Amino acid sequence: MTFYLFDRSFYIASDVLLAYITVILSGAAIFYLITKADKWPTIKKYVTTTHHRKIGVLYLLSATLFFIRAGIEALIIRVQLAVPENDWWVFQGDKFNEAFTTHGTIMIFFVAMPLLIGLMNVAVPLQIGARDMAFPYMNAVSFWLFLAGAILVNMSFFMTASPNAGWTAYAPLSISTYTPEAGNDYYVFGLQVSGIGTILAAINMIVTIVRHRAPGMKLTRMPLFPWSTLITSFLILIAFPVLTIALYILMFDRMFGTQFFTGEAGSPIYWQHLFWIFGHPEVYIIILPAFGIFSDIISTFSKKRVFGYTSMVIAITIIGLLGFMVWVHHMFTVGLGPLVNTVFAITTMLIAVPTGIKIFNWLFTMRKGLIQLTTPMLFSLGFIPTFVVGGVTGVMLSVAAADMQYHDSYFVVAHFHYTMIGGTVLGAFAGIYYWFPKMFGIKLKETLGKWHFWLFVIGFHITFFPMHLAGLNGMPRRVYTYLPKDDVFIYNFVSTIGAFLMGLGTLAFIWNIYQSFKNPDYTGNDPWDGRTLEWAVPSPAPEHPFQPMPLVKTIDPLWEAKRNRGGKLPEAESARSAPIDVTSWQPIGLAGMMMVFSLAFIYHQTWLQIIAGIGVLSFFVIRNLTDEHVRVAREEENE
């Protein structure tokens, strides 16, 4: 759309203009409602907090907002592909490239990751009997850096410079020779900044789980969600630095004229290796925590201890290890040779073994159990057949010869979504319904929850199952149209209907949250008759939840206490000192300065790079000169 102002012409795409209007009007409405409800003090508490539960809520809120944005892009993609030779709105050519790139990038890095890290923050410290995360201040820094990176990627759309090389950013397409616009610079810096936050979060999780468990809680007595969190955190610690290296090299190719991924000395294959050494473990980084969530929920609502606890832990560990030995199965068509392809095909197939063990253990946990079909349990039950389909198609793709046919087709799109949505998104929904009482002291409405489940899951299968058939009929992914003679119209049309059904399911979820706060159903400590420690503390979880500290003697300490001790947990004689939580504007200030620093590089403003760089370093100096222990010691002396 072109418009004129002061005798000058300006161009802005109509979708961007509509987004500006929507954001401005929505922002004004939210500002008015917050002011009217006098909620600014509450918002200030959350912005400056370092408490794990509130940080977890911030992760979940951010992920929900980005889920809506990425979901709208998914609907746009489906509308464009609903009929052959469609010419809907502006979403053809490069606009379509931008839509599927930002949809994939946001869903992977800014929806799936924060949903699970948010649930880890809410539940893991409570499940292991910790009073907070090991490093509360660093926890806040992790969140705000994640959000700064996410905002960078999202604001690229409003600057009419969205990334457009796919969420994998394959070189040489992503280097400046072929995509000179700023879009892929936003991708590089957005992922770098948020990646720092994710690595810090992983370090914090590892130290918290290793050092801050309640007395008596051996690793062999730890619930499966903390176990999957621990393994996932090690995966992050190994995989994310590889992505960091790849993005730095890409940045040098784009900004400083190096030729790591092109030219006579470089090769685009290097990017594929680096990206997938990170990328395939990333799949397990966002799947394994969901496995832990499902394990705890299925055990709770079957009224049975999880079947084969030890084998479940071993299976999670093996999946994590094998996740680093399969990256080449994304590159079978590159031409690395039959021996390499065979080795990686076998390691890929091996992952089906521990995954199958987990599936059977969940089924045996439910066998002869007293099953309650609550909303979290429904999402857990919906996950099992969905993920099995994704797993079976994964084995099909691991056959190198067959992959030559499936590669870059809609069959891969279907497989990917069956594992990611079937595992991660359903797991996140299950966890949110399950632990919502620990976040806010109220339960989400069960009736609306079941509407959410059925609309979303039925819509999901209508959307993605036909994509297998479209792919087998030869439809390539990442194309904005097709011809009537391609015989894929009916699959695409049905998929589009299913996508809107998923959208209705998401609206039911948002409506459920609104209704649950408007007409709250307050809960006590233990609304689900749970088995683990988080259900022994008040809802919502207080700042210092364990007073006195419990002594853990079994895998299901609360369940055992309810059966044999009248619900009273044995008390520990001594416990580790609680981490010192603070309120501080410094984390959000540091994240804001990192955003300015990144924008200075994206738009090549050297003077601003220097100022922002000094600003970032100054936060490190300030932090080094700040010691909460001195304040606490003085307060104790005054008492």
Side-chain angles (χ1 to χ4, degrees):
M1 178 179 292
T2 304
F3 61 95
Y4 298 91
L5 187 67
F6 302 119
D7 297 328
R8 293 184 62 186
S9 62
F10 297 87
Y11 174 79
I12 184 169
S14 56
D15 61 320
V16 178
L17 181 62
L18 179 62
Y20 266 115
I21 294 171
T22 304
V23 168
I24 291 171
L25 293 179
S26 304
I30 292 169
F31 182 85
Y32 170 75
L33 292 173
I34 291 173
T35 304
K36 184 181 177 183
D38 194 22
K39 293 293 183 184
W40 288 111
T42 304
I43 290 176
K44 180 187 172 186
K45 285 181 183 175
Y46 272 82
V47 169
T48 58
T49 189
T50 58
H51 186 247
H52 72 93
R53 176 176 59 81
K54 292 175 182 171
I55 297 284
V57 170
L58 290 174
Y59 269 113
L60 293 171
L61 178 62
S62 306
T64 303
L65 293 175
F66 296 134
F67 185 68
I68 293 170
R69 189 251 160 111
I72 291 171
E73 284 179 321
L75 293 178
I76 288 171
I77 291 169
R78 287 315 321 163
V79 170
Q80 170 60 29
L81 291 172
V83 294
E85 297 185 286
N86 198 8
D87 194 23
W88 182 68
W89 202 357
V90 294
F91 292 97
Q92 298 82 43
D94 206 45
K95 268 291 180 185
F96 191 84
N97 296 343
E98 293 176 359
F100 72 69
T101 297
T102 49
H103 166 75
T105 304
I106 291 171
M107 284 299 291
I108 293 291
F109 293 100
F110 308 127
V111 176
M113 293 285 295
L115 279 176
L116 297 168
I117 293 177
L119 290 171
M120 292 175 190
N121 263 282
V122 169
V124 167
L126 299 176
Q127 286 193 305
I128 63 172
R131 289 165 169 160
D132 201 335
M133 296 293 288
F135 309 115
Y137 180 92
M138 193 165 84
N139 201 22
V141 171
S142 303
F143 167 73
W144 289 109
L145 287 178
F146 147 76
L147 188 62
I151 290 173
L152 274 173
V153 171
N154 279 274
M155 74 183 291
S156 65
F157 173 79
F158 293 96
M159 305 300 285
T160 62
S162 291
N164 57 1
W167 80 275
T168 51
Y170 269 12
L173 183 59
S174 56
I175 65 173
S176 57
T177 306
Y178 301 100
T179 48
E181 305 83 9
N184 290 313
D185 294 325
Y186 276 101
Y187 174 93
V188 169
F189 282 94
L191 295 197
Q192 287 286 46
V193 173
S194 67
I196 297 170
T198 303
I199 291 171
L200 294 179
I203 294 170
N204 214 347
M205 286 290 170
I206 291 170
V207 178
T208 302
I209 293 171
V210 171
R211 299 284 292 168
H212 286 267
R213 299 192 307 280
M217 180 171 279
K218 303 173 183 175
L219 286 175
T220 51
R221 293 174 181 167
M222 200 164 66
L224 286 172
F225 184 45
W227 254 116
S228 61
T229 298
L230 182 63
I231 301 297
T232 299
S233 299
F234 278 111
L235 295 187
I236 290 173
L237 211 53
I238 299 169
F240 265 73
V242 180
L243 176 66
T244 302
I245 292 166
L247 290 171
Y248 267 116
I249 296 173
L250 182 61
M251 179 189 75
F252 271 86
D253 270 12
R254 288 186 61 82
M255 294 187 169
F256 303 112
T258 57
Q259 294 186 331
F260 289 102
F261 298 131
T262 186
E264 293 183 4
S267 169
I269 302 301
Y270 298 158
W271 171 264
Q272 292 196 32
H273 279 294
L274 286 171
F275 186 85
W276 288 117
I277 288 173
F278 150 79
H280 202 82
E282 168 69 3
V283 171
Y284 297 104
I285 286 168
I286 56 180
I287 283 288
L288 290 182
F291 287 174
I293 293 169
F294 291 129
S295 300
D296 289 348
I297 289 175
I298 289 173
S299 174
T300 296
F301 294 112
S302 300
K303 303 298 177 193
K304 283 178 63 183
R305 178 175 290 181
V306 68
F307 182 87
Y309 171 87
T310 306
S311 63
M312 292 288 264
V313 173
I314 294 171
I316 292 173
T317 309
I318 291 175
I319 291 171
L321 288 172
L322 287 176
F324 283 102
M325 302 177 191
V326 298
W327 80 89
V328 167
H329 75 217
H330 295 277
M331 302 166 60
F332 281 153
T333 57
V334 165
L336 298 177
L339 178 61
V340 174
N341 286 356
T342 303
V343 169
F344 281 90
I346 292 171
T347 54
T348 303
M349 292 176 194
L350 284 176
I351 289 186
V353 177
T355 307
I357 289 171
K358 296 184 72 61
I359 296 288
F360 282 113
N361 281 357
W362 288 318
L363 295 176
F364 280 116
T365 301
M366 288 185 281
R367 182 173 177 266
K368 294 185 178 180
L370 188 62
I371 295 174
Q372 295 174 296
L373 292 178
T374 60
T375 304
M377 187 63 170
L378 282 176
F379 275 104
S380 304
L381 293 175
F383 148 78
I384 292 175
T386 307
F387 192 77
V388 167
V389 173
V392 169
T393 52
V395 174
M396 292 170 68
L397 285 163
S398 71
V399 181
D403 184 75
M404 298 286 179
Q405 303 301 314
Y406 303 139
H407 191 80
D408 261 350
S409 75
Y410 258 80
F411 188 88
V412 176
V413 178
H415 157 73
F416 187 70
H417 284 83
Y418 262 82
T419 52
M420 292 294 97
I421 294 181
T424 305
V425 176
L426 294 189
F429 281 142
I432 290 170
Y433 278 93
Y434 187 56
W435 284 304
F436 205 79
K438 289 298 152 195
M439 298 182 223
F440 301 107
I442 59 176
K443 284 173 67 176
L444 288 170
K445 305 291 182 188
E446 275 292 295
T447 303
L448 284 171
K450 287 170 183 172
W451 273 101
H452 171 206
F453 168 76
W454 287 111
L455 285 170
F456 193 86
V457 170
I458 292 173
F460 168 81
H461 287 284
I462 293 176
T463 303
F464 292 104
F465 192 80
M467 289 186 188
H468 292 106
L469 306 175
L472 292 174
N473 277 275
M475 182 171 176
R477 64 177 178 172
R478 297 174 178 171
V479 292
Y480 69 86
T481 193
Y482 52 91
L483 299 173
K485 66 180 181 182
D486 293 332
D487 289 334
V488 292
F489 156 66
I490 189 62
Y491 308 126
N492 282 286
F493 188 73
V494 171
S495 289
T496 301
I497 293 171
F500 278 89
L501 208 54
M502 291 175 72
L504 284 176
T506 305
L507 288 177
F509 174 58
I510 295 168
W511 182 248
N512 193 354
I513 293 174
Y514 171 73
Q515 282 296 319
S516 298
F517 278 107
K518 186 180 180 185
N519 303 299
D521 178 13
Y522 292 104
T523 65
N525 296 3
D526 189 15
W528 306 119
D529 193 17
R531 311 174 70 87
T532 41
L533 285 182
E534 74 268 34
W535 306 111
V537 303
S539 302
E543 298 275 333
H544 299 286
F546 295 103
Q547 302 287 355
M549 178 60 68
L551 177 65
V552 177
K553 297 182 176 179
T554 179
I555 292 175
D556 302 315
L558 182 61
W559 186 259
E560 189 272 340
K562 284 190 282 191
R563 293 295 173 270
N564 303 318
R565 302 171 187 271
K568 184 173 174 58
L569 288 162
E571 297 176 9
E573 294 181 358
S574 62
R576 178 180 295 278
S577 300
I580 299 173
D581 54 345
V582 297
T583 56
S584 175
W585 290 96
Q586 289 178 23
I588 189 173
L590 171 62
M593 196 55 69
M594 286 291 284
M595 277 188 62
V596 174
F597 194 40
S598 302
L599 288 169
F601 270 93
I602 291 170
Y603 290 104
H604 308 282
Q605 299 298 313
T606 306
W607 63 272
L608 190 56
Q609 292 169 13
I610 295 170
I611 293 173
I614 293 171
V616 170
L617 289 175
S618 68
F619 275 97
F620 288 92
V621 175
I622 293 169
R623 179 58 191 164
N624 272 302
L625 297 175
T626 307
D627 188 352
E628 296 86 23
H629 296 82
V630 175
R631 173 179 59 82
V632 172
R634 285 173 181 165
E635 289 174 356
E636 289 176 351
E637 285 177 4
N638 293 332
E639 290 175 357

